Amino acid sequence: MSQVKKEQRAVAIPSSRRRFMQLGATVGGGLLFGFSLFGCSKDDNRKEAPPEKAVGQASTEHSDTPAGLARDAFIRIDRDGIVTLVIHKVEMGQGTFTSMPMLLAEELGADLSKVKLEQAPANNELYADPLLGGQVTGGSTSVRGAWRPLREAGAMVRGVLVQAAAKQWDVDTADLQVVAGTVRHQASGRSAHFGELVDAASTMELPKNVKLKDPEQFVLIGKAMRRLDSPAKVNGTAQFGIDARLPNMGIAAVAASPVTGGKLVAVDEQKALAVKGVRQVLRLEGAVAVVADHFWAAKQGLAAAAPRFEDGANAGVASRGIVADMLKVSQGEGAVARDEGNALKVLNDEGGGRKIEAVYELPFLAHATMEPINCTVDLRADGCDLWVGTQVPALAQGAAAKVSGLPVEKVKVHNYYIGGGFGRRLEVDYVIQAVSFAKLAKGPVKFIWTREEDIQHDMYRPYYVDRLAARLDNKGRPAAWFHRVTGSSIMARFAPPAVKNGVDPDAVEGAADLQYAIPAMRVEYVRHEPPGVPTAFWRGVGPTHNVFVVESFIDELAQAAKQDPVAFRRALLEKSPRTLGVLNLAAEKAGWGKPLKPIAGRKVGRGVSTQFAFGSYMAQVAEVSVGPDGDVRVHRVVCAVDCGQAINPDGIIAQMEGGIVFGASAALWNEITLDKGRVQQTNFGDYRMMRIHEAPTVEVHIVNSRDEPGGIGEPGTAGIAPALTNAVFAATGKRIRKLPVGEQLKA
């Protein structure tokens, strides 16, 4: 059945679910509607969220309370017609606070300007994501998970409002229209805005089925909309975690051991207290915080305190040793993620075609968000309040409860806008640290990490070593493909049930689900945890690494087969028409095959990549130039994306632009290195971000699709690195198998 037909059909609501989707009156009057983010209740014998997606175990690690899945969310409509959605996601620049209201308002028939948002409190039971199984914002899942539940909820509420109007006016519901927050009866000219109907609607029975709009009827979805959070962010009224202020609050600068696992051995407390404005010096086993009236005094006090640490077991950790170990471990057999067509036999068949082999390496990466880590804590005997920006409110709540010894219901999380998450705020290490310090503090304290502390105590994108091999047949087409991924397992820590038969699904995403038609394929995973280096998600960990490796090696095969890189890919995409579609679109818009304009003293080249990740299909073409000193400049990037039904095209374009600049910065310059257990990078001076004058022109072309929405927050980051490095090869003939690019061209 086509997607359009799916949208047109009526959605029957099981009786148990209708009981769960309850209507009621708000305090003081109005309409309150509770609905399930999973789309149905447990009484429907529904399939639970798959255990491999659940993050419940991660939440209970710090809370000792049973993990749960979502059971309901809420919509309120008051007598003024204002619609409030209690939103289970957080806004960190990806546009969630615009796309979610659009989904609701589309089917509800609301005026988008009258849809307000209220951040859901920390509660894994009520506000879990349907795709992730916990109260988590990540994995480019926000729209994918809410696409149907929010629209169905809007349609249900629209139905009872129409019923209320029909009863008041004694007309048939079929004769009523809902437009911009009003119910209208065209024949009589009568109309009523939502607020005039809510009291009557709260007493109505929910409809037994709802009919979702035909996509051709959409008035909001698919239209470019201004970000609803932009005015507050422009005029300065938007509040981020670092903006939290409480009466008599102290502000603390923090310093942790520069070596993971190190211990604090000495602090010059008297010198710190001698700094004007310093209130307290707080000590933990591996960190110190200086609390003052303002941050400058806290920072000066911390410098005066001159904390000294014992390095401990990780004192000898260095990048060269980590890499040497990984290269050695990567030679061993791994857990099998995909095995088709006896690839090993075909690869070792000396009599057929040509065998190509390569080893790729990707570095540790920091998140380097614009808003550094911070957490404000007010810990009392009877409760604890946190003011913070977090992607995991329930995990933060559980962590604070565990550290403070309070029942989880006594911990309240006040979640704010996040000034960049990229996966860093999926972690709660800084919450644990802040609450631990708060147990020693007098009154509420805002704990702030400096940029240096933020970069040197991050949880890093893993280092990866990838071994690849392929055999080309006599026509230059791949007959067999082998890919062994070696790296840290984030899922083994974050969501252990996800790791099955030794395979971390995130580590092989973008590798095990290869879109190219190759008859014999084997993908393996070797888990290797580097000593003294904590690892975490980084704006789509698996794809950001695997798309680079796969698309670079595909380019190597095209070169070996003496074929054009785009033509080579086209021939392998016969079973993935959507990937082929974006490839063709990007190649056409980029003018693939046409000569690039020469740049005096520089070599120019064009490179391509394709990908399927986070439910979306994408192709990118990058145009670069390389100077005699190895300086790489990215001049233009053409991006074609098929993310299914586009919700807000303007938001998609913004995410592609931001993701491409973020990914290009990482590909060109970024890496985290260690020596004597210490991270060597400190700030944006040695962990570079692309400046505005260095940013390429980015052209985004969106495929008009009616398929279910895919994710959009992370794909742009994954696709730019291979397009860029393939362009460098086209310009210079030098294949980049190790990132960052800058270091390789200097070598």
Side-chain angles (χ1 to χ4, degrees), residues 239-326:
Q239 293 292 293
F240 294 80
I242 205 167
D243 296 322
R245 293 188 180 279
L246 302 175
N248 301 315
M249 174 183 74
I251 297 179
V254 177
S257 168
V259 178
T260 300
K263 295 182 179 180
L264 180 67
V265 294
V267 175
D268 197 330
E269 188 168 337
Q270 293 307 310
K271 285 187 177 179
L273 292 171
V275 174
K276 184 178 180 181
V278 170
R279 302 179 185 180
Q280 270 187 286
V281 177
L282 312 176
R283 307 185 195 202
L284 299 177
E285 183 179 60
V288 60
V290 174
V291 184
D293 297 335
H294 50 81
F295 187 71
W296 180 246
K299 190 172 184 295
Q300 294 298 101
L302 186 59
R308 297 185 296 282
F309 297 88
E310 180 183 276
D311 291 346
N314 293 313
V317 171
S319 292
R320 59 185 178 276
I322 291 174
V323 175
D325 286 347
M326 293 191 71

Side-chain angles (χ1 to χ4, degrees), residues 581-606:
V582 292
L583 173 62
N584 287 337
L585 180 58
E588 175 196 346
K589 297 298 183 180
W592 187 270
K594 298 178 181 177
L596 287 169
K597 184 178 179 180
I599 300 176
R602 301 180 68 83
K603 298 176 180 179
V604 296
R606 187 185 277 127

Side-chain angles (χ1 to χ4, degrees), residues 369-392:
T369 60
M370 286 302 296
E371 179 189 12
I373 289 295
N374 62 88
C375 184
T376 300
V377 186
D378 183 12
L379 178 60
R380 309 168 306 281
D382 62 347
C384 179
D385 284 70
L386 304 178
W387 289 264
V388 67
T390 174
Q391 294 174 245
V392 284

Side-chain angles (χ1 to χ4, degrees), residues 421-440:
F422 313 134
R424 180 63 179 98
R425 262 76 171 186
L426 288 169
E427 305 299 333
V428 295
D429 57 306
Y430 59 98
V431 173
I432 293 171
Q433 184 197 72
V435 177
S436 298
F437 275 131
K439 292 171 70 174
L440 309 172

Side-chain angles (χ1 to χ4, degrees), residues 579-661:
T579 311
L580 179 60
V582 292
L583 173 62
N584 287 337
L585 180 58
E588 175 196 346
K589 297 298 183 180
W592 187 270
K594 298 178 181 177
L596 287 169
K597 184 178 179 180
I599 300 176
R602 301 180 68 83
K603 298 176 180 179
V604 296
R606 187 185 277 127
V608 65
S609 73
T610 71
Q611 69 184 64
F612 169 66
F614 310 103
S616 294
Y617 300 80
M618 184 177 301
Q620 294 188 32
V621 175
E623 296 176 1
V624 310
S625 68
V626 183
D629 59 352
D631 168 57
V632 179
R633 300 177 191 173
V634 187
H635 300 282
R636 180 187 181 214
V637 178
V638 177
C639 174
V641 57
D642 177 356
C643 57
Q645 173 64 60
I647 309 305
N648 183 3
D650 190 58
I652 293 170
I653 292 170
Q655 285 300 290
M656 291 301 98
E657 292 171 339
I660 286 168
V661 168

Side-chain angles (χ1 to χ4, degrees), residues 93-143:
Q94 79 278 39
T96 298
F97 281 15
T98 301
S99 57
M100 295 294 185
M102 287 176 67
L103 294 178
L104 174 65
E106 182 65 73
E107 295 290 349
L108 176 57
D111 179 347
L112 187 60
S113 68
K114 292 189 176 181
V115 178
K116 307 301 179 185
L117 298 179
E118 182 178 303
Q119 187 82 56
N123 192 317
N124 244 358
E125 294 288 335
L126 299 181
Y127 300 107
D129 180 273
L131 297 179
L132 297 175
Q135 192 177 8
V136 180
T137 302
S140 296
T141 58
S142 294
V143 166

